[in-house]
Amino acid sequence: MVSVRPEVDTMPRVNLTRQVKSESGWKRVALERDSRGRIKWGNGEGRYLIEWREEGRRLREAAGGTPAEALEAQRRKRLELEARQSNLELLGLPNEEENVLLEQAIEKFLKDIKAFRKPLTHQKYEYILELFCERVVPKRYALEVTPEDVKGFLSWRKSKGFDPGTTLYTDRVILHNFFSKLKIENPVKEVPRLPRFRKKPMAYPDCDLKKFFAACDDWERAFFALALASGLRRGELKTLHWSDLDLARRRVHVSAKPEYKFVPKDWEERSVPLGQDVVDLLKHHPHMDRCPLVFPSPNGKPNYRFLHDRCKAVAKKAKLNPKEWYLHRFRDTAATRWLRAGIDVRTVQSWLGHESLDTTQKYLEPSTETERQLDNLPLPF
């Protein structure tokens, strides 16, 4: 009698599991089955996963949020594994470049951002992309991200109190730029564009500026006078070196400072003229020993927080509302004063370091004095 050995099943095995969110986070649960072994799909929030083994390792992959998506993911994975066993090329499945892990794609993208963009830009991109990756759990591949995932992320951010016209607008731009770099269909294209909200620039009136400067000590008067006279940005002020000042020719230069990882906005260095009154203040401004900075913090380092706090403190001492006094508004005031003095908009654009003329033109607002002329135009009745 000849014994027959049972045929070994070499069919790749791909199992389905479910991932649900609990108070302690995401956890995997087994799918319920009936007496015949059929899956009882049920309802409720959660995501499906497929799992299989390769070289003794258990691997998992997101399989969508519906039974249909889960079964399709299971079928495709079985076909992929069978084709790999038979050394066949399976057409119609994503290639390795498209089917990149989401975390790996973000890591690679952020390396480029870090190399070619400013540190603050990299910091913002890193925060938003890593936050997005956490919110689309358990999706593992970039190709699996859908427009609904992007909409859900932006809706969640809005629920946290972030403004659609500012913060969410930037979030969408970051996600769009990221997916545009991948060779897949960009899911952000299907998400409606958010209108960008631009705050109207507000200039300090001369009466409030007089009160503010009257409350300044000599150090503060030199700093805020330069901020008002030059329109420099806060990063440009806090990294300003004595070598950037050409007091003989009455100019201040904006230059890159690699030691502080500072690069001028739009990567453009520039020069801004100064009035004689500001030059006289700077000539008497004290130098800190062995410190190249014009306005260092007490420990000789560039420190925006220190300068920001000085602004609030002076406003409080002058009996002005500290909430309305901050460094960037001195830049807004400088631009507004220049334009109202009759300086052409192209020159002001150059002094401010604006890449676009549209950005400069937002300061072309009528002054309070101009609006008072309406009283001289009574209606004809």
Side-chain angles (χ1 to χ4, degrees), residues 171-199:
D171 292 352
R172 186 189 180 279
V173 168
I174 290 173
L175 292 172
H176 185 277
N177 291 346
F178 165 64
F179 283 103
S180 292
K181 291 292 183 181
L182 303 178
K183 295 182 179 179
I184 61 174
E185 185 67 25
N186 190 338
V188 186
K189 287 183 179 180
E190 302 298 322
V191 179
R193 293 189 178 185
L194 298 168
R196 186 175 187 181
F197 176 73
R198 292 183 179 273
K199 292 183 179 180

Side-chain angles (χ1 to χ4, degrees), residues 267-330:
W267 305 84
E268 186 175 348
E269 297 185 344
R270 68 186 191 279
S271 178
V272 184
L274 298 173
Q276 188 59 51
D277 50 354
V278 182
V279 170
D280 292 338
L281 286 172
L282 293 172
K283 284 181 178 177
H284 296 92
H285 186 66
H287 291 241
M288 179 179 283
D289 290 342
R290 295 184 295 279
C291 180
L293 295 169
V294 182
F295 302 105
S297 64
N299 61 1
K301 304 290 183 182
N303 191 332
Y304 164 65
R305 190 78 238 166
F306 173 73
L307 300 174
H308 174 81
D309 291 344
R310 290 289 279 261
C311 182
K312 300 289 186 184
V314 172
K316 186 176 181 180
K317 191 163 47 172
K319 297 187 183 292
L320 298 166
N321 185 357
K323 293 181 179 179
E324 296 179 357
W325 288 82
Y326 42 90
L327 292 182
H328 194 81
R329 196 164 170 183
F330 279 86

Side-chain angles (χ1 to χ4, degrees), residues 35-53:
S35 58
R36 295 184 180 182
R38 294 176 299 189
I39 296 175
K40 298 168 65 175
W41 295 103
N43 296 316
E45 293 187 8
R47 297 284 185 176
Y48 294 101
L49 299 173
I50 54 175
E51 61 179 32
W52 69 99
R53 287 188 174 274

Side-chain angles (χ1 to χ4, degrees), residues 205-275:
D206 286 349
C207 58
D208 287 347
L209 287 170
K210 288 180 181 178
K211 294 178 183 177
F212 184 88
F213 280 104
C216 289
D217 60 25
D218 291 341
W219 193 100
E220 294 161 344
R221 188 171 293 107
F223 173 75
F224 292 108
L226 178 63
L228 181 62
S230 66
L232 296 189
R233 299 180 177 92
R234 60 176 179 258
E236 297 164 350
L237 286 165
K238 74 177 184 179
T239 59
L240 187 70
H241 280 188
W242 283 103
S243 58
D244 294 321
L245 292 174
D246 186 350
L247 299 182
R249 294 181 177 83
R250 301 197 311 183
R251 303 192 78 81
V252 57
H253 303 287
V254 176
S255 59
K257 304 293 190 311
E259 63 271 37
Y260 306 128
K261 297 182 179 179
F262 169 75
V263 178
K265 193 171 183 179
D266 300 323
W267 305 84
E268 186 175 348
E269 297 185 344
R270 68 186 191 279
S271 178
V272 184
L274 298 173

